[in-house]
Amino acid sequence: MRVANIPAIVTGGASGLGEATARALRAAGAQVAILDFNLAAAKTIAAEIGALALQCDVASAASAEAAVAAATAAQGSARILVNCAGIAPGARVVGRNGPMPLDDFRKGIEVNLIGTFNLIRLVAAGASTLEPLEGGERGVLISTASIAAFDGQIGQASYAASKAGVAGMTLPIARELARFGIRAVTIAPGIFETAMLRGLPENVQQSLGAGVPFPSRLGQPDEYARLVMAIIDNPMLNGEVIRLDGALRMPPQ
């Protein structure tokens, strides 16, 4: 799909992987709506690149519906969705203070898994009514899992479960939406240099990067964005989960 003048929605677009993706899409000429829980940060990025900023709690049906409706009113129904919104909760199943609070586990599922599906259902519904582009394509839905979906570490039960869910629903969604000419693909990043990791001490960051076989460093957000653009461009990429991790396999802890 050529992205010039195509409406696109990026969740979590105010920072990290989402910000890099929003910038890449806008540079290629897409009409970009940045959906983020942090509206002030979203407005800052949107002002820099000429995008639309909207507040959105992806785990809320009402919030997501309102945000997608506002983006549609401003730019038309999105043909491109990139789900980058997410959280990385960490807690042991049984910790020093007893069992992990169930709401802590539930929060990761609600934001990472249900939030991803929430936007997929809304954008897919809109894209399904659009006229097909060259080749019969109507849209592409790109979600973000994690290598934790496959190599979850101790303390990552909620995070790994949520990301495994994102990976697991990719194929059935792709199969279902094929009749509309809508593709579904998921990226499973390894360790990337995002705001969360930049908050760690420099020696810790270097140690994490050194554990990646090649290249032995943290991934850069623009490398994620480049894969997003390649997926959009290649119509045969569908129903797949792509690891983007430099051949890293996470140890137990």
Side-chain angles (χ1 to χ4, degrees):
M1 180 189 299
R2 295 187 180 92
V3 302
N5 300 315
I6 296 293
I9 289 175
V10 181
T11 72
S15 63
L17 305 181
E19 178 187 344
T21 298
R23 291 182 182 278
L25 284 166
R26 191 70 190 98
Q31 301 179 59
V32 177
I34 296 172
L35 274 56
D36 204 284
F37 192 78
N38 186 338
L39 180 58
K43 285 183 174 180
T44 297
I45 302 303
E48 288 181 18
I49 66 176
L52 175 68
L54 296 165
Q55 199 278 336
C56 182
D57 174 0
V58 296
S60 163
S63 179
E65 288 164 8
V68 171
T72 301
Q75 300 178 336
S77 293
R79 292 186 185 268
I80 297 168
L81 168 67
V82 187
N83 275 310
C84 291
I87 58 175
R92 289 176 179 260
V93 177
V94 181
R96 294 179 179 176
N97 298 320
M100 178 183 182
L102 188 57
D103 283 346
D104 290 356
F105 182 88
R106 180 180 288 115
K107 183 67 173 179
I109 302 298
E110 287 179 347
V111 174
N112 295 342
L113 176 55
I114 296 175
T116 294
F117 179 79
N118 195 13
L119 270 295
I120 284 175
R121 72 183 180 96
L122 297 173
V123 174
S128 69
T129 66
L130 298 174
E131 288 297 314
L133 301 174
E134 183 181 358
E137 191 169 20
R138 285 189 171 88
V140 57
L141 315 171
I142 301 172
S143 297
T144 306
S146 165
I147 60 171
F150 316 105
D151 310 332
Q153 296 182 298
I154 292 171
Q156 288 187 331
S158 176
Y159 183 67
S162 68
K163 295 301 189 177
V166 173
M169 70 182 177
T170 303
L171 182 57
I173 288 174
R175 286 172 162 171
E176 177 183 341
L177 299 181
R179 65 193 179 102
F180 298 117
I182 297 174
R183 296 185 286 128
V185 180
T186 291
I187 300 172
I191 304 175
F192 272 68
E193 187 179 330
T194 60
M196 181 176 64
L197 277 182
R198 283 195 296 270
L200 297 175
E202 183 64 28
N203 65 317
V204 175
Q205 294 184 45
Q206 291 178 359
S207 176
L208 288 170
V212 180
F214 185 82
S216 294
R217 58 170 173 78
L218 300 177
Q220 298 299 309
D222 73 288
E223 292 169 323
Y224 173 95
R226 282 155 58 189
L227 180 53
V228 167
M229 301 305 289
I231 292 169
I232 294 169
D233 183 62
N234 192 330
M236 281 301 287
L237 283 171
N238 193 15
E240 185 57 276
V241 180
I242 305 170
R243 291 183 69 128
L244 186 65
D245 59 15
L248 176 64
R249 298 298 181 266
M250 298 292 285
Q253 59 184 348

